[in-house]
Amino acid sequence: MFNLKEIKIRIASVQSTQKITSAMKLVSATKLRHAQSAIFSLRPYSNKLNVILQHLSASVEVSIDHPVFAKREPENVVLIAITSNKGLCGAFNSNIIKEVHRVANEKYTKQLREGKLKLVCIGKKAVEQLQKNYDIIYASESLLDTHDFEEVAKLATDLINDFTHEKIDKIAIVYNRFVNQATQKVVFENYLPVTNAEEKSSEKTKNTDFIFEPSQKQLMDELVIKTLKLQLYKALLDSIASEHGARMTSMSKATDNATEILKELTLRYNNARQAVITNELNEIESGAEALKS
């Protein structure tokens, strides 16, 4: 059984931890509001841009000749893994690591065995967990801190250039999609080649006669590249919002657990203190009886 001093030390330790987790919960809640606002503002724009691209690529023949639509045998594959720089966010990072392992071992077994599966890691945790098993060609921690569109656009441009020059045959993204503060969904999403929307569109869309200004090819070139940059940026913002949501939920549970532990320790402390007082009273009473006799 713990003595009073040990219980008091444990109570002080749990109280200190509770203050930290409570503060981290408040910080994550504040960051989540900004990240949630950013991703919710971007999604309608991104979705509409994808719809325009689908209609455009389905209605013109130029999309077939565009290099980002080129379908090749995926000999050289790149996976983009987006995690966080910090821990204490539940299963947020481990879910991404597990999904990368699953995709690598189930979908790209041959490429992994031949050393033709490469990784782009955004987030410190991805680098720490994946560098032992995979070849990382690009790693960044700063993108999660600044989440600057221009930096993401540079990365997207480099990946697009490698794909169009046939250095890479397939690119996919693994990240957490933000649903709400308590729910994040792990997503394995195709990035390149772009799926030809002509295969998905209805006959009505195919037969629609569009008037283009500027030319079809110029419009297609600008729209495809812009959409790909935005797709990667949206995945980054989704992951950032998911991280803050996961950390806020995790810290909320940790604070609740600390409260329960404090209740248990306080009860144990009071019981131990009562036992000590009772023992002291018994000793006094025994001493008094001894003096009478």
Side-chain angles (χ1 to χ4, degrees):
M1 179 180 289
F2 295 104
N3 59 39
L4 288 175
K5 184 177 181 181
E6 290 175 337
I7 295 176
K8 287 182 71 175
I9 292 174
R10 288 194 63 187
I11 289 175
S13 176
V14 174
Q15 286 176 335
S16 177
T17 302
Q18 185 185 41
K19 290 178 182 178
I20 294 172
T21 56
S22 180
M24 291 181 68
K25 174 187 173 182
L26 293 176
V27 171
S28 294
T30 302
K31 291 182 177 180
L32 174 62
R33 283 195 292 269
H34 294 289
Q36 185 175 333
S37 176
I39 187 60
F40 283 168
S41 299
L42 182 65
R43 276 179 182 172
Y45 176 72
S46 175
N47 293 338
K48 191 63 179 179
L49 198 61
N50 285 326
V51 170
I52 294 173
L53 179 62
Q54 288 180 5
H55 283 280
L56 182 62
S57 62
S59 61
V60 297
E61 296 180 356
V62 68
S63 64
I64 301 175
D65 299 325
H66 200 285
V68 298
F69 289 90
K71 293 182 179 179
R72 301 187 291 269
E73 188 66 26
E75 293 184 4
N76 297 292
V77 179
V78 170
L79 293 180
I80 305 172
I82 306 178
T83 60
S84 67
N85 288 331
K86 302 175 183 178
L88 299 177
C89 47
F92 175 83
N93 292 312
S94 60
N95 286 339
I96 295 297
I97 304 303
K98 289 177 183 177
E99 182 67 8
V100 170
H101 288 317
R102 185 194 68 80
V103 170
N105 289 284
E106 293 181 9
K107 286 182 170 291
Y108 304 114
T109 309
K110 178 184 176 183
Q111 292 85 347
L112 179 62
R113 186 174 59 250
E114 295 176 353
K116 294 182 178 180
L117 177 66
K118 312 293 183 181
L119 259 60
V120 170
C121 294
I122 300 176
K124 184 178 180 180
K125 294 300 179 180
V127 177
E128 290 177 351
Q129 298 294 324
L130 297 172
Q131 63 183 349
K132 297 178 182 178
N133 304 101
Y134 305 96
D135 183 11
I136 299 176
I137 59 174
Y138 175 86
S140 175
E141 300 176 16
S142 60
L143 282 179
L144 294 173
D145 297 324
T146 61
H147 45 86
D148 180 34
F149 177 75
E150 295 301 325
E151 292 298 320
V152 177
K154 290 179 183 178
L155 173 59
T157 301
D158 292 339
L159 292 172
I160 294 169
N161 288 337
D162 287 343
F163 179 83
T164 55
H165 288 87
E166 300 187 9
K167 295 179 181 178
I168 302 172
D169 303 307
K170 176 79 173 180
I171 303 176
I173 313 174
V174 180
Y175 67 99
N176 281 288
R177 178 176 292 163
F178 180 77
V179 180
N180 54 53
Q181 64 182 33
T183 307
Q184 302 83 38
K185 182 180 179 182
V186 178
V187 176
F188 170 66
E189 184 175 274
N190 178 68
Y191 188 64
L192 283 169
V194 177
T195 303
N196 195 342
E198 187 175 9
E199 301 171 1
K200 303 179 181 178
S201 301
S202 63
E203 292 297 326
K204 181 180 179 181
T205 304
K206 293 181 183 179
N207 297 328
T208 303
D209 185 18
F210 288 94
I211 298 175
F212 297 99
E213 180 64 36
S215 66
Q216 295 177 357
K217 188 177 185 307
Q218 184 179 349
L219 186 61
M220 198 66 186
D221 287 342
E222 293 182 4
L223 192 60
V224 167
I225 301 303
K226 186 172 184 178
T227 302
L228 287 171
K229 292 177 180 178
L230 198 64
Q231 183 182 351
L232 184 57
Y233 185 60
K234 184 175 74 70
L236 180 70
L237 292 187
D238 255 315
S239 182
I240 292 172
S242 297
E243 176 194 347
H244 295 315
R247 182 170 289 109
M248 189 184 76
T249 302
S250 180
M251 291 301 101
S252 177
K253 291 180 180 179
T255 303
D256 293 340
N257 291 339
T259 302
E260 293 299 320
I261 293 173
L262 280 175
K263 289 180 181 179
E264 182 182 343
L265 288 174
T266 302
L267 180 61
R268 188 181 299 178
Y269 176 80
N270 291 336
N271 289 336
R273 186 167 177 268
Q274 184 179 12
V276 170
I277 294 173
T278 303
N279 187 47
E280 290 177 352
L281 288 175
N282 289 335
E283 289 178 356
I284 293 172
E285 186 177 352
S286 299
E289 290 294 331
L291 289 174
K292 287 180 182 180
S293 62

